[in-house]
Amino acid sequence: MLIDLLDAEFSVFGHPVLWREVVGNGFGLLSAIGGMRRVVWAWPVGIIGNALLFTVFLGGVFHTPQALDLYGQAGRQLMFIAVSVYGLVRWMRDSKRSGAAVLPRWGTARERTAMLVVAVVGTVVFAQLFGYLGSFGKWADAWIFTGSMLATFGMARGLTEFWLIWIAVDVVGVPLLIVAGFYPSAALYVAYAAFVAWGFAVWFRIQNKYIGQKMAS
């Protein structure tokens, strides 16, 4: 019965959409809320959503209504799962040690330089790879993959910049998903952009509060 539900479709402006795309994105949004609140359960919830969306973005393989293969979008779901395991372990360890899953902070100059290098090199390299595989919109797909990797890794390490990277991913992701016909995912990206701005403000406030307390002591 669950499989039948996830394989079920509905129509948006005459275009068929899978329910599992909606459900997968729902888990993704719930995971983002957990990340903003810095709770450990954000990671396993996100993994469930990633597994569902992996099948959605390999439309040619899993015979989805769009029948398009977005290898960057699909590949980043696997990347999310791998980094989420790292984030889960790290947040659980920090929670046991200090009582808080993660303490927001700005990245160091070295960390920011490394992220910039990875952003540029990763986008170029993955664009060639995704283009070879026949991915739809290889450059946009490559940045979405690379930026998502950086943002997820930054979240795991408690870097406040990860929210800003997500905004840059959304700016590219929304047009790509609309053109490809993944409307629920595109709608989530729009809503997620507003949520990300809120999340950044929350982490920024927590970070400044901690800095103020540390200076006072």
Side-chain angles (χ1 to χ4, degrees):
M1 183 176 179
L2 178 60
I3 294 178
D4 291 337
L5 174 62
L6 295 178
D7 283 341
E9 302 175 7
F10 64 98
S11 179
V12 176
F13 302 116
H15 297 275
V17 177
L18 281 172
W19 270 109
R20 71 171 177 263
E21 183 181 355
V22 177
V23 174
N25 280 310
F27 274 100
L29 182 58
L30 185 60
S31 175
I33 293 173
M36 183 189 68
R37 296 178 61 188
R38 299 179 297 141
V39 291
V40 173
W41 59 255
W43 297 106
V45 166
I47 289 174
I48 296 173
N50 299 146
L52 289 171
L53 291 176
F54 174 76
T55 69
V56 171
F57 291 121
L58 282 185
V61 177
F62 290 95
H63 308 293
T64 67
Q66 292 84 4
L68 289 174
D69 292 321
L70 274 69
Y71 291 102
Q73 291 281 2
R76 80 175 188 146
Q77 305 307 320
L78 299 180
M79 176 273 296
F80 280 149
I81 293 174
V83 179
S84 291
V85 172
Y86 166 76
L88 176 61
V89 172
R90 187 180 181 94
W91 281 27
M92 287 179 65
R93 184 193 63 193
D94 291 347
S95 181
K96 291 180 180 179
R97 183 175 57 189
S98 63
V102 67
L103 181 64
R105 65 179 178 85
W106 290 121
T108 63
R110 182 176 181 179
E111 287 173 323
R112 290 181 176 181
T113 301
M115 286 191 290
L116 180 60
V117 171
V118 171
V120 174
V121 175
T123 300
V124 172
V125 170
F126 284 117
Q128 306 313 309
L129 174 60
F130 296 155
Y132 173 78
L133 294 173
S135 184
F136 182 80
K138 67 175 186 178
W139 285 102
D141 216 11
W143 162 242
I144 291 169
F145 181 89
T146 305
S148 298
M149 176 176 62
L150 287 171
T152 308
F153 185 73
M155 174 179 166
R157 295 185 63 84
L159 304 183
T160 304
E161 288 95 336
F162 94 88
W163 294 104
L164 302 178
I165 298 174
W166 272 130
I167 292 177
V169 169
D170 291 340
V171 167
V172 175
V174 172
L176 176 67
L177 292 169
I178 290 176
V179 172
F182 294 96
Y183 301 113
S185 296
L188 177 71
Y189 270 45
V190 173
Y192 192 63
F195 172 79
V196 163
W198 179 29
F200 172 75
V202 170
W203 274 43
F204 184 73
R205 184 172 65 250
I206 293 172
Q207 174 182 298
N208 284 347
K209 181 179 179 181
Y210 172 76
I211 294 175
Q213 291 175 342
K214 190 174 181 179
M215 292 179 63
S217 62

